[in-house]
Amino acid sequence: MCGIVGYIGHRSAQEVLLRGLSKLEYRGYDSAGISVYNEGDLQVQKVLGRLVALEQHIQTPLIGGQGIGHTRWATHGRPSDDNAHPHSDCSGRFVVVHNGIIENYQALREELTSMGHRFQSQTDTEVVAHLVEELYAGDLFTTVIQVIARLEGAFALGIMAKEEPGKLIAVRKASPLVIGLGDGENFIASDIPAILEYTRETYILDDGEMAVITKDGVDLFTFAGVPISKDVFHVTWDAVSAEKGGFDHFMLKEITEQPTAIRDTLTSRISPDGSRITLNEINLTDEVANTIDRIHIVACGTSYHAGLVGKAAIENLTRIPVNVEIASEYRYCEPIVTDKTLVIVISQSGETADTLAAMREAKSRGCARVIAITNVVGSSIAREADDVILTLAGPEISVASTKAYTTQLICLYLLAGHLAQVRHSEGANLIPDIAQALRALPEQAEQVLQTSAMIEKFARTYAAAKEDCFFIGRGLDYAVALEGALKLKEISYIHAEAYAAGELKHGALALIVEGIPVIALVTQDKLYEKTVSNIVEVKARDAYVLALAWEGDAEIHKHADEVITIPRTLPFLAPVLAVIPQQLLAYYASVARGNDVDKPRNLAKSVTVE
Ligand code: F6R
């Protein structure tokens, strides 16, 4: 996730920008750059790598009290010096930093190129600088209004013009941006920690708002240029909680970020009319796609659980048989791989040693192609795979994976749709309905987050005191139950088991005793009656049942002690919503037990050893 910092005032802009960017390092980045205005010149320095590389690269300090800086997390165009921000127009009259994705950048780039503009990078951002250049008629503010009217997608922007010193323009649509208010100085930043050293008075820009910033003032406007006023937000957090966005833990912040992460991961991967999946990053030719006769999905932990949902999605839409394999097993099991086997590896970090080794094993056995689903551009797995589908979740700091899982699911649904399209499978006819349902997910996830207080109560007053807990479900509900149980055990240290509900009576029912919490998932319509019978079975042994069911399911209240509902979607998308209450349950149980939520014992975020 990119980071933006901007400054205008009496201090050294270079120093403020570099210090501010260092406070945004937690967002993850692969390159960095700054631009500082001085005596009619917009000086730009940018490099691939960490901020220390940028500091070493700036041999002569950039003099000046006005500038913009950026840490880039590559999405369009690989990490490189050229693709690092700030970006300029043809003549270096304007500089731009950007966080987000300009969805229609390809069309704009073609249009601007045909008008004679020359591009230096492969980024979507650079179109903004050239558009400003194209439309500029002496007033940066009105030009930016015209420019943003042409942009589709998500964008937080910082912009400066050589001809208008003493002025920064800040724009926000769907990517965060705050303005810091100082005395004879003002700031912009993607997040509060970047400016907390200088000021606690801020404006938090909302979507569709922009600002003209000088050292002595900030004027706020809508995208139509209508002046607006906003309350000043006084930040009371200390530096550590500011990094967590005011949340007590990264895990809760990351759970809460899921609607945005899902939206970002979907962005530009569905055609505007919703009729097609547009996974342009995949170079799988139609010929190869049509010869594939089996798929292996390989991953560890939470990513493996995402793979189980992916299997159902792919088999459903394409009828290609899919095996989901634990990477540490796959690498040693002499897997049967042919040149018709497509291998999908899933890894948040892109560095998990077993997944990397399993991928190499499949390659050495001559698989048709490896597609990696990962959250980290430039990671080992991303570099070695033939194709990469990025989960645009932003960095995940908490050891327990949350937003990476939901965005992995989104990528798997998109990939399933893409394969169905290419192979002209019957399932391709469902794509318009699936696309519509996918687009509704961010808002529905937001709705599920509203159940937080109920889950907190259940976790605090009931679950946290127990030593064992069961999760049951059938079909996809079982796949998500496995993830719910993993979350609970890893951060609350409560022993948790997930069972295919129909399998209980083959052994585990012996463990169901009075008061044991059973989380029962009932979102798979075809299996509803069957799962309800299993709930009745555990209730007959005096278990305490919390059901996760569809909104409007009156029947389930007759069988469960407590019910948490999720809004209706297609049953095969239910895992995206059904996992959220389970993540919250694990979180609140862990808090109630006084555990170190973000760093559970014995676990590491990136498992780079076997
Ligand atoms: C659980 C969790 C782990 C990871 C696993 C794989 O919350 O985070 O189970 O999912 O270690 O990691 P990645 O996805 O980075 O390969």
Side-chain angles (χ1 to χ4, degrees), residues 506-519:
H506 299 287
L509 205 53
L511 295 173
I512 302 296
V513 290
E514 187 182 347
I516 195 162
V518 174
I519 317 300

Side-chain angles (χ1 to χ4, degrees), residues 251-252 254-256 258 302 396 400-406 449 455 471 483-484 487-488 491 548 575-590 597:
M251 183 179 178
L252 187 56
E254 287 159 8
I255 291 172
T256 310
Q258 288 180 111
T302 290
E396 200 178 57
S401 190
T402 52
K403 60 179 181 170
Y405 172 81
T406 39
L449 288 169
I455 298 164
F471 290 71
E483 176 54 11
K487 281 293 87 88
L488 190 66
I491 59 166
L548 295 181
V576 177
L577 303 176
V579 77
I580 296 173
Q582 298 179 84
Q583 296 167 340
L584 288 166
L585 169 62
Y587 171 75
Y588 286 118
S590 176
V597 177

